[in-house]
């Protein structure tokens, strides 16, 4: 299957700062990338869908000014958590699809964010 | 909007035995994909099996098979000859053919494998 990487795998930041998480499709061009949030022992909650070269589409209840998503190329999407607070602490997962992998989503390994 | 329901929060199975995880979904669409994903303690999402709704034949992947009942909107996963490495959280997911690659996940089932 296709490979999707995320960086960093873990990050700790102070309350009020911003943190950027990168999602890369390593061996295919992803026209669409998805960002999920997952709390312990719970399901994945879709935050937003990003298409290369256009603005992300956010799910209801997700603050677009807090969770900035950029999909500048066919292999890279970034999620920036702005002015992070302890309640933003969570596990963030990206997935990539589209292009030559049109019917599949390939998941990154996730990023654990802790806001102190 | 589509919904996916997994009614079993936790299941246990003895090593080498068979277990079935349940999933039901709600949709008005006639064509779609259904998936089972495994999330082990590493939290990496792994695709276990995929079913296209237009295919009547149930998908199988080695020890994993599904029972797809389209009219009943049911999509259960059977794991045969369970192994310790099968212990994980399992998610059932629905993908619309009309709304891009967006996946709708169920709440998940924790599978424990006893030796």
């Amino acid at each position: 299957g296709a490979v999707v990487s995320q960086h960093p795998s873990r990050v700790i930041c102070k309350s009020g700062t911003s943190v950027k998480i990168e999602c890369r499709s390593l061996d295919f061009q992803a026209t669409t990338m998805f960002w999920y949030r997952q709390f312990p022992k719970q399901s994945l909650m879709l935050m937003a869908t990003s298409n290369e070269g256009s603005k992300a589409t956010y799910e209801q209840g997700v603050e677009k000014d807090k969770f900035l998503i950029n999909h500048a190329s066919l292999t890279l999407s970034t999620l920036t958590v702005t002015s992070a607070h302890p309640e933003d602490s969570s596990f963030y997962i990206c997935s990539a699809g589209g292009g030559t992998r049109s019917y599949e989503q390939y998941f990154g390994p996730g990023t654990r964010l802790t806001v102190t | 909007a589509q919904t996916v329901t997994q009614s079993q929060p936790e299941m246990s199975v003895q090593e080498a035995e068979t277990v079935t995880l349940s999933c039901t979904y709600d949709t008005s669409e006639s064509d779609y994909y259904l998936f089972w994903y495994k999330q082990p303690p590493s939290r990496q999402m792994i695709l276990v099996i995929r079913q296209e709704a237009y295919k009547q034949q149930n998908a199988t992947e080695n020890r994993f098979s599904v029972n797809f009942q389209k009219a009943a909107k049911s999509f259960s996963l059977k794991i045969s000859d369970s192994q310790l490495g099968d212990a994980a959280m399992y998610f059932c997911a629905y993908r619309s053919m009309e709304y891009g690659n967006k996946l709708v996940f169920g709440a998940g089932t924790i599978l424990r494998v006893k030796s």
Side-chain angles (χ1 to χ4, degrees):
Chain A
V3 179
V4 176
S5 70
Q6 270 184 254
H7 177 79
S9 57
R10 291 175 177 263
V11 58
I12 301 172
C13 70
K14 291 187 183 298
S15 188
T17 62
S18 296
V19 61
K20 181 184 286 187
I21 302 170
E22 292 187 347
C23 176
R24 293 182 185 273
S25 57
L26 300 184
D27 54 358
F28 73 103
Q29 293 184 326
T31 54
T32 308
M33 288 186 172
F34 303 86
W35 287 95
Y36 298 87
R37 184 173 181 176
Q38 186 181 32
F39 291 105
K41 294 189 178 181
Q42 293 189 24
S43 189
L44 280 69
M45 181 192 79
L46 180 65
M47 300 174 66
T49 303
S50 73
N51 291 294
E52 186 265 339
S54 62
K55 288 185 178 180
T57 301
Y58 290 81
E59 295 299 303
Q60 193 171 8
V62 177
E63 298 175 61
K64 59 183 68 177
D65 293 331
K66 179 164 197 56
F67 299 101
L68 300 178
I69 291 171
N70 182 276
H71 191 164
S73 77
L74 286 172
T75 59
L76 173 65
S77 177
T78 59
L79 166 68
T80 302
V81 182
T82 63
S83 186
H85 290 284
E87 57 265 30
D88 298 324
S89 298
S90 190
F91 193 68
Y92 293 88
I93 303 175
C94 75
S95 69
T100 55
R101 311 278 184 166
S102 59
Y103 58 82
E104 291 269 3
Q105 279 192 33
Y106 297 90
F107 287 84
T111 297
R112 181 178 303 281
L113 170 63
T114 303
V115 184
T116 62
Chain B
Q2 295 85 15
T3 58
V4 177
T5 302
Q6 292 179 250
S7 58
Q8 305 155 316
E10 289 193 27
M11 292 283 285
S12 290
V13 62
Q14 199 69 36
E15 199 175 2
E17 296 194 344
T18 296
V19 64
T20 298
L21 308 184
S22 301
C23 173
T24 59
Y25 58 95
D26 189 26
T27 184
S28 58
E29 298 175 337
S30 60
D31 204 8
Y32 45 86
Y33 289 103
L34 294 165
F35 303 87
W36 277 98
Y37 285 93
K38 169 185 178 181
Q39 189 179 42
S42 68
R43 303 189 78 169
Q44 171 72 59
M45 294 287 284
I46 300 166
L47 177 65
V48 174
I49 201 163
R50 175 182 66 247
Q51 175 80 43
E52 291 92 336
Y54 67 87
K55 290 186 177 178
Q56 292 186 342
Q57 187 172 7
N58 289 323
T60 62
E61 286 288 341
N62 301 313
R63 298 183 294 108
F64 298 88
S65 61
V66 298
N67 183 2
F68 174 47
Q69 302 288 330
K70 191 173 184 180
K73 296 178 184 174
S74 171
F75 182 61
S76 61
L77 174 70
K78 185 171 84 171
I79 306 174
S80 304
D81 186 25
S82 296
Q83 300 175 359
L84 294 177
D86 295 333
M89 177 84 114
Y90 285 81
F91 293 101
C92 178
Y94 173 102
R95 194 213 125 183
S96 168
M97 294 290 282
E98 294 182 19
Y99 300 106
N101 279 355
K102 189 171 171 177
L103 288 172
V104 178
F105 284 94
T109 297
I110 296 172
L111 177 66
R112 305 190 194 282
V113 181
K114 296 182 278 190
S115 59

